[in-house]
Amino acid sequence: LRRVESFYRERRSDVARQNASLQDVFADLVPPPAATDVVLSDAPIVEARADLEASFDAHFGGFGGAPKFPHPTSIERLLRAWHATASGDEPDLQALFMATLTLKRMAEGGLYDQLGGGFCRYSVDAWWMIPHFEKMLYDNGPLLALAAQAAIATGDGLFRRVAVETAEWALRDMRSPQGGFYAALDADSEGHEGKFYAWEKAEIEALLPQDEYRAFSRRFGLDRGANFEGKWHLHCFASVEEIAEELELEPRIVAGRIDAARARLLTVRNGRVWPGRDDKVLTAWNGLMIRGLAIAGRALERPDFVDAAAAATDFIRTQCWRDGQLMAVWKDGQARFPAYLDDHAFLLDALIELLQSRWRSEDLAFARALADSLLERFEDRERGGFWFTAEGSETPLYRP
């Protein structure tokens, strides 16, 4: 602070020049208006599809190498590319393959909580095995929707199970008593990242009957070396069908034993010291989870998921919508900060999905009011497009 004060006092002209230079840079970041003769086409969408295929990992799914992020919007773009062609002569089966392989590998990996449901933030490796253990609401809302949509597209029971478990995790561990959803679970507990999720092999062996342990250990790699700091973080190494063949059992029996073991271990894990929870309710991220629950409830015939989406919507409307103004954050009984573009857009998208799952006239009225507010406060009327921050009495240093 002393150095800053000294620099400001002794080199004021340099500070002024730097300020002017910075303002020039920000001015260059604002895009020019589109030319009046521009023709809209699907070229950007076609290019996006090609770019995703160019970076696709055909063995483990995802795009690029480590670290790997879920990128749900990329997966959704591929599902939409397939769906748009599915009834034609040349369905884009490669797009469906890229989307579903990525979801499958994530769901079988350590990125996914194999006991409690829900996805961690990203994988430090290319195999989705060891994640950064933070669980974010903004990842899980879109991934919930995608898993439900993939279940409909493919009939694969894995996607249905993952969608149901992710929704149940959100309802069980992330929902406030008032109906909104908290922002995140920390990666750390007791000062160590991942400690809440990692296991000693002897601990698992002592907790499970022998028949369950034999199936569970093959499924999740306890017959291999430790994969996380001398312990085991659960990641699927063998399929249920492979294990059934080895044990000379029907796959449904093996799956039942694995599920029973998962339930036992989850009960024990719930008794551990939990990671910290970020108990802010963020409007934009709640929009993503409301959308996910509405889609999953409709696709999987789970009215309880739609109930939760409706309750979260009511919470946002009553607590974060004041006199035609949306607020971005709610915590400890208080809504704060004028909402941003993404708060309006994600919540509007969620309301449209919720209306398709269960009609409520008040949701339509809320959606129309939100859309009016978005246009009034964020539209760039000179160049087209939208500003990220709302119009206000003070001009920020940079308005993106």
Side-chain angles (χ1 to χ4, degrees), residues 257-337:
R257 291 178 181 179
I258 292 171
D259 287 343
R262 291 168 63 230
R264 291 180 199 273
L265 295 184
L266 179 61
T267 299
V268 172
R269 194 184 77 179
N270 284 340
R272 295 177 176 177
V273 176
W274 275 65
R277 185 168 61 191
D278 181 348
D279 61 358
K280 292 191 300 293
V281 176
L282 301 176
T283 299
W285 298 7
N286 270 257
L288 294 173
M289 181 53 72
I290 291 166
R291 175 183 178 272
L293 288 167
I295 289 172
R298 184 169 72 240
L300 307 180
E301 298 181 332
R302 287 291 300 260
D304 54 327
F305 296 168
V306 182
D307 290 343
T313 299
D314 292 341
F315 172 82
I316 296 295
R317 181 169 49 232
T318 57
Q319 300 299 319
C320 299
W321 178 250
R322 303 277 177 79
D323 301 320
Q325 165 114 23
L326 188 65
M327 308 303 284
V329 181
W330 181 93
K331 180 170 165 52
D332 298 332
Q334 184 179 5
R336 304 174 65 193
F337 309 122

Side-chain angles (χ1 to χ4, degrees), residues 16-192:
R17 277 194 298 272
Q18 186 185 49
N19 285 353
S21 176
L22 191 60
Q23 291 281 26
D24 289 342
V25 170
F26 283 146
D28 288 342
L29 292 176
V30 178
T36 55
D37 59 348
V38 166
V39 177
L40 294 179
S41 74
D42 67 349
I45 293 175
V46 172
E47 185 177 345
R49 160 71 176 77
D51 287 348
L52 288 170
E53 184 164 13
S55 62
F56 176 63
D57 181 341
H59 296 290
F60 300 105
F63 309 95
K68 269 187 179 170
F69 286 78
H71 292 306
T73 48
S74 297
I75 301 171
E76 184 180 2
R77 175 89 295 282
L78 291 171
L79 275 181
R80 286 178 177 271
W82 163 74
H83 190 261
T85 61
S87 58
D89 294 333
E90 296 183 8
D92 191 348
L93 297 178
Q94 178 64 13
L96 180 64
F97 170 72
M98 290 189 286
T100 54
L101 179 71
T102 298
L103 282 170
K104 186 179 181 68
R105 292 289 181 259
M106 290 195 301
E108 293 176 334
L111 183 83
Y112 182 70
D113 182 349
Q114 298 293 337
L115 300 183
F119 291 85
C120 295
R121 190 156 173 246
Y122 64 87
S123 173
V124 302
D125 53 67
W127 315 289
W128 308 108
M129 187 185 298
I130 303 301
H132 174 50
F133 286 88
E134 198 173 19
K135 281 184 177 180
M136 312 298 294
L137 192 70
Y138 72 74
D139 288 318
N140 282 281
L143 290 170
L144 161 61
L146 286 169
Q149 290 165 335
I152 296 300
T154 67
D156 191 330
L158 170 67
F159 297 133
R160 172 177 285 270
R161 177 173 68 79
V162 166
V164 168
E165 289 177 354
T166 299
E168 291 178 342
W169 163 77
L171 270 57
R172 182 183 66 242
D173 296 343
M174 301 301 288
R175 186 161 55 163
S176 74
Q178 298 86 355
F181 290 92
Y182 298 132
L185 284 178
D186 289 347
D188 297 6
S189 56
E190 301 183 86
H192 296 280

